[in-house]
Amino acid sequence: MKTDVILAGVGGQGILSMGAIIGLAALEEGLHLKQSETHGMSQRGGAVVSHVRLSDRSVYADLIHHGQADLILAVEPMEALRQLPFLKKDGYLITNTDPFTNLPNYPEIGKIQEALDQLPKVLKIDATDLARDIGHAKSSNIIMLGALSAFVHISVQSFEKGIETVFAGKGEDVVEFNKQAFHLGRKVALTTV
Amino acid sequence: MKPELFLGNEAVAQAAIDAGISGVYAYPGTPSTEITEYIQQSKQALDRQVRCNWSANEKTAYEAALGMSYAGKRALVCMKQVGLNVAADVFINSAITGVNGGLVLAVADDPGMHSSQNEQDSRFYGKFAMIPVLEPSNQQESYNMAYEAFQLSEQSQLPVMLRLTTRLSHTRSGVLRREVLQPKSLKLPQSSKQFLLLPIFARKNYRHLLEKQDLLQEWAEQSKYNFFRDGADKSLGVVCCGLGWNYFQEVFADSEIPYPRVKISQYPVPVSIIRKLEELCDELLVVEEGYPLVEEQLHDFFGKGKPVHGKLDGTIDRQGELTTDKVGRALAVIYDEPFSVPECVVPRPPSFCMGCGHVDAFKALDEAIASYGAGHIFSDIGCYALAALPPFESIYTCVDMGASITMAKGAADAGFFPAIAVLGDSTFAHSGITGLLDAVNEKTNMLIVISDNQSVSMTGGQDSAAKDIIETICVGLGVDTRHIRVFVPLKKNHEEMVQIFKEEIEFEGVSVVIPRRECLQKAMWRMKRNKTK
């Protein structure tokens, strides 16, 4: 079993938290893992990417090579497309459809849709909308993480433990609504795919 | 024992705590920042009263760490690659003084320039100083090597460099910890002359350093981190350093590795291990992240040796971060790339946060100097350097910490007017102060804008050494108090700010304008922290 995942988004969208949760969950399952992150300058509203490599055997490289990612998980659609060279031929792209438009020349959303629809395996989720529905607009990244959980060999319990650890410092209610968001995303993925 | 999830930098920090350090000294800089941050947040370190505040710059950090080592205790000093240039003076000399308590320099290089001005390879500094260099290839090795480096330092009586790179520093993985050691007790150096680099003592110390080289070489030859593995296909022998080992193994992850290979993670370069490979194989390939340090050493000046491939002959791209793709191509393995980036995707560079005080300051300054044309602002490393990008394109220089003031001064000396320097509060404390002293001494006709957001924001909001004392420093350096002007950079104060900038540009001499408003990110973190308390 080996799963290579690319996490993509914009600085401030919670990519590092998602990566940390996956890492903790994988360790809980006794898997080998390497999860690389983007720090520093690009965190200020720039494109952010994290490579997550999970396996029951040793993981060597810190980075996934081109054409080898099993999954791209994006919290923003243009950032999903930016990572396409990493995707496997039969890999899945899972993305939040809500654009993050902090730049003046953000492409027409129609063009982004078109590019997404040309892919053989794509799961589009309006996670921003879903997050608003449950009253926690900031949890869209954890909704996307829930969707990811339907594609990887890690138990729900381990993911929940990861969520508990990462959000422990922020209080009980933050842990709870993030768990709720996680389950919502998971359900959407399981019923759509 | 169960593995714990650590970022590479966190593994280094935890290892240093477990190895019994009494202090960490650092100036924040990506990709090294999290080492110190981890120690600052560690309960274990707090309980042991490990000293862990940020230093004004890398030189002061290194010197303080050397002082702790003088007193017999173990000290860690951390910086990014360009920070080592700032600390180079004391770093090179610390190899001559040697150490007393274990002294480990963790320096994080940034190949690919994710967040840096250059790709310089700190291993060259290690070789230059003639000290042992350790180059881990994964997070477990980062922990193990950082843990053992203190002992290595005490054994050799030399500082030890732990060379990290971005990818290693910023990758998480499971790490097993070791026994927690007690901090050392205070103990003076055995020789009272050891740290006295007056020529008569320095010559003696330098001879000692030279005499130690054979021992360091021997240790590297015997190091468990350097080894040879045989392979069936002798047409090529591969030498891998640090992370290069990972990418090389990844190329053959699903099959047996056909080539004989050597892994190097402890320097000086273990000659006998590589010689064994060279004797066995027709050609060599060197896979290293950074500059071609090992490759250069393997090249025969007169071309008599076996062919050596790598970054020098373009077999591996000389620029940028190492990847599996690059190593694969060097081994003639081609990867499929079924999808490409659609044309509609545009770059998303980093940008100012919405509502950032730097933005208001630049808008006012740009308006104040509009009549002079473009090219008048010299700047520095920090968030405000984002003003180089559209829509601002206000600043024209960003060279090294503190160079804004000194370069503007040089331009002013040349008759350039107006000469304006813009830098942040932390950069001012880091290396701006001495430049300001030069300007004051010569009454240079220039404007210095210290855009004070009361934090080191680009690296995550660390405390600035100049917090709340910038005016005092300026007065102390001799700036006329009438020309130290402070305001709050807000849209509503725009006209006032433009007016102040204009007046101070017109003043003939040194003036300092300080737009002051706390970094938004930092304010947000502070409020969140207070809320959870």
Side-chain angles (χ1 to χ4, degrees):
Chain A
M1 193 285 290
K2 179 176 75 95
T3 312
D4 286 338
V5 185
I6 300 273
L7 303 180
V10 179
Q13 283 196 303
I15 294 288
L16 299 194
S17 305
M18 293 165 75
I21 294 168
I22 300 172
L24 288 163
L27 215 57
E28 189 66 29
E29 301 274 308
L31 294 173
H32 294 266
L33 90 133
K34 276 193 175 163
Q35 182 242 319
S36 76
E37 305 180 343
T38 316
H39 287 235
M41 199 184 216
S42 41
Q43 277 187 296
R44 305 277 163 261
V48 165
V49 65
S50 170
H51 291 215
V52 184
R53 313 196 60 215
L54 309 166
S55 178
D56 50 8
R57 288 186 293 161
S58 287
V59 176
Y60 299 116
D62 300 62
L63 294 172
I64 298 164
H65 55 82
H66 284 165
Q68 279 302 307
D70 300 284
L71 293 164
I72 290 176
L73 180 73
V75 288
E76 200 285 334
M78 184 171 75
E79 294 312 317
L81 294 174
R82 194 188 308 282
Q83 301 303 325
L84 274 180
F86 286 99
L87 193 62
K88 247 184 196 166
K89 207 171 173 181
D90 57 348
Y92 237 109
L93 184 145
I94 315 165
T95 184
N96 183 2
T97 51
D98 182 34
F100 191 92
T101 53
N102 67 338
L103 61 171
N105 58 336
Y106 194 93
E108 274 174 56
I109 192 68
K111 286 198 171 149
I112 297 227
Q113 287 285 359
E114 209 177 291
L116 285 172
D117 291 338
Q118 278 174 13
L119 297 169
K121 289 183 174 179
V122 61
L123 171 59
K124 296 182 286 183
I125 300 174
D126 192 342
T128 311
D129 227 28
L130 290 173
R132 264 191 228 112
D133 284 351
I134 58 168
H136 294 288
K138 277 185 170 174
S139 66
S140 61
N141 62 329
I142 306 299
I143 292 180
M144 295 308 297
L145 187 70
L148 169 96
S149 75
F151 293 83
V152 296
H153 297 275
I154 295 176
S155 70
V156 171
Q157 291 75 13
S158 292
F159 271 112
E160 286 188 333
K161 269 199 157 174
I163 291 171
E164 282 163 18
T165 309
V166 166
F167 294 111
K170 297 190 172 177
E172 190 66 25
D173 49 333
V174 178
V175 171
E176 276 317 306
F177 77 66
N178 274 302
K179 278 190 189 171
Q180 194 192 342
F182 175 85
H183 283 280
L184 179 61
R186 182 175 170 85
K187 197 174 127 195
V188 170
L190 288 172
T191 49
T192 322
V193 178
Chain B
M1 278 275 246
K2 261 182 74 174
E4 296 169 51
L5 190 64
F6 282 124
L7 205 59
N9 280 346
E10 295 170 349
V12 170
Q14 185 62 57
I17 298 170
D18 291 346
I21 55 164
S22 296
V24 58
Y25 295 86
Y27 182 80
T30 312
S32 72
T33 315
E34 298 77 16
I35 305 172
T36 307
E37 284 187 331
Y38 181 91
I39 296 172
Q40 288 173 337
Q41 286 152 21
S42 157
K43 193 178 170 298
Q44 191 188 353
L46 183 73
D47 289 346
R48 289 188 157 197
Q49 297 181 298
V50 173
R51 183 275 171 206
C52 60
N53 294 327
W54 293 106
S55 304
N57 65 41
E58 295 83 357
K59 180 173 177 285
T60 66
Y62 198 106
E63 287 158 350
L66 189 62
M68 184 170 269
S69 158
Y70 170 91
K73 301 221 173 199
R74 290 183 166 185
L76 176 67
V77 51
C78 317
M79 59 195 64
K80 65 180 297 177
Q81 88 280 19
V82 287
L84 186 50
N85 299 328
V86 178
D89 198 351
V90 55
F91 169 69
I92 301 295
N93 285 346
S94 73
I96 315 283
T97 61
V99 305
N100 187 23
L103 175 62
V104 175
L105 163 68
V107 55
D109 291 355
D110 189 14
M113 292 185 251
H114 297 278
S115 210
S116 302
Q117 300 81 52
N118 70 34
E119 291 193 351
Q120 72 185 56
D121 187 329
S122 298
R123 294 179 301 166
F124 278 88
Y125 262 122
K127 187 171 182 288
F128 187 29
M130 296 185 270
I131 59 164
V133 176
L134 301 172
E135 188 190 10
S137 65
N138 58 43
Q139 288 63 36
Q140 185 67 57
E141 269 187 1
S142 298
Y143 179 92
N144 295 352
M145 287 181 165
Y147 187 89
E148 293 163 16
F150 291 94
Q151 201 192 344
L152 183 62
S153 169
E154 282 157 10
Q155 248 172 352
S156 61
Q157 288 288 290
L158 290 173
V160 171
M161 177 192 285
L162 188 67
R163 189 252 187 165
L164 311 163
T165 55
T166 302
R167 207 43 69 182
L168 182 72
S169 284
H170 288 167
T171 297
R172 276 175 210 283
S173 192
V175 171
L176 283 169
R177 285 172 56 190
R178 294 199 190 163
E179 183 198 354
V180 176
L181 305 178
Q182 285 307 310
K184 303 268 170 177
S185 346
L186 282 173
K187 181 189 77 170
L188 281 178
Q190 279 179 339
S191 155
S192 61
K193 307 288 187 290
Q194 183 187 340
F195 288 86
L196 276 174
L197 294 190
L198 303 174
I200 50 164
F201 305 124
R203 284 186 206 109
K204 202 170 135 202
N205 282 8
Y206 181 51
R207 194 170 61 239
H208 283 324
L209 176 63
L210 294 175
E211 281 163 4
K212 281 178 194 167
Q213 296 307 304
D214 286 346
L215 185 66
L216 301 188
Q217 186 70 44
E218 199 183 310
W219 285 353
E221 307 283 354
Q222 289 162 3
S223 168
K224 63 187 169 204
Y225 298 114
N226 296 336
F227 54 75
F228 168 87
R229 297 260 187 283
D230 206 357
D233 185 348
K234 311 285 195 238
S235 65
L236 186 71
V238 185
V239 180
C240 300
C241 308
L243 277 182
W245 180 244
N246 301 355
Y247 296 119
F248 172 69
Q249 287 189 105
E250 185 68 31
V251 172
F252 302 101
D254 299 319
S255 54
E256 198 167 325
I257 300 176
Y259 306 114
R261 62 264 180 203
V262 164
K263 182 197 176 219
I264 301 178
S265 277
Q266 179 171 342
Y267 301 82
V269 174
V271 180
S272 67
I273 302 178
I274 296 178
R275 183 158 292 147
K276 184 169 166 187
L277 187 77
E278 200 246 356
E279 279 164 7
L280 216 58
C281 302
D282 303 335
E283 299 185 7
L284 294 180
L285 170 70
V286 183
V287 180
E288 53 193 325
E289 175 140 84
Y291 289 1
L293 174 116
V294 173
E295 190 183 343
E296 276 185 358
Q297 290 180 64
L298 297 192
H299 269 287
D300 182 345
F301 268 108
F302 305 102
K304 285 175 188 159
K306 290 181 180 170
V308 177
H309 306 289
K311 293 192 164 191
L312 287 172
D313 71 351
T315 304
I316 295 175
D317 188 1
R318 184 155 179 176
Q319 191 179 344
E321 189 178 10
L322 208 56
T323 60
T324 309
D325 299 74
K326 282 186 187 175
V327 179
R329 272 197 295 275
L331 293 157
V333 177
I334 304 296
Y335 297 105
D336 280 346
E337 205 177 293
F339 305 103
S340 49
V341 181
E343 271 176 30
C344 67
V345 174
V346 293
R348 193 192 305 260
S351 56
F352 283 114
C353 303
M354 294 271 280
C356 170
H358 290 318
V359 171
D360 294 308
F362 271 114
K363 277 185 179 161
L365 183 57
D366 280 346
E367 191 179 315
I369 61 169
S371 61
Y372 299 104
H376 287 275
I377 305 182
F378 298 79
S379 194
D380 229 309
I381 322 286
C383 285
Y384 44 89
L386 293 169
L389 307 175
F392 297 91
E393 300 180 83
S394 306
I395 71 166
Y396 284 78
T397 72
C398 174
V399 176
D400 67 57
M401 299 287 279
S404 56
I405 297 182
T406 34
M407 282 183 71
K409 184 186 184 301
D413 291 346
F416 186 65
F417 178 81
I420 301 166
V422 178
L423 76 172
D425 47 320
S426 181
T427 309
F428 175 66
H430 180 287
S431 292
I433 292 174
T434 43
L436 178 56
L437 184 58
D438 281 349
V440 169
N441 281 340
E442 294 191 34
K443 300 185 175 59
T444 310
N445 186 18
M446 63 187 296
L447 166 64
I448 294 153
V449 182
I450 305 174
S451 193
D452 179 9
N453 60 8
Q454 308 199 290
S455 107
V456 194
S457 295
M458 183 63 93
T459 44
Q462 294 79 12
D463 285 336
S464 155
K467 193 164 184 284
D468 301 332
I469 50 170
I470 293 178
E471 292 95 308
T472 318
I473 295 170
C474 292
V475 173
L477 289 173
V479 182
D480 184 340
T481 46
R482 287 168 300 181
H483 296 284
I484 300 174
R485 312 278 297 269
V486 185
F487 55 71
V488 182
L490 281 170
K491 213 172 172 183
K492 63 173 187 182
N493 299 338
H494 182 77
E495 292 311 320
E496 179 204 348
M497 301 190 298
V498 173
Q499 187 55 35
I500 291 176
F501 279 135
K502 280 184 174 169
E503 286 169 18
E504 295 308 328
I505 287 167
E506 284 311 315
F507 168 68
E508 199 165 324
V510 178
S511 36
V512 176
V513 173
I514 307 169
R516 174 173 297 138
R517 182 149 66 84
E518 189 183 22
C519 164
L520 285 172
Q521 301 283 348
K522 179 131 188 187
M524 219 162 61
W525 292 322
R526 188 169 46 76
M527 283 187 287
K528 265 191 197 166
R529 230 188 1 255
N530 292 344
K531 214 172 128 192
T532 46
K533 261 180 190 167

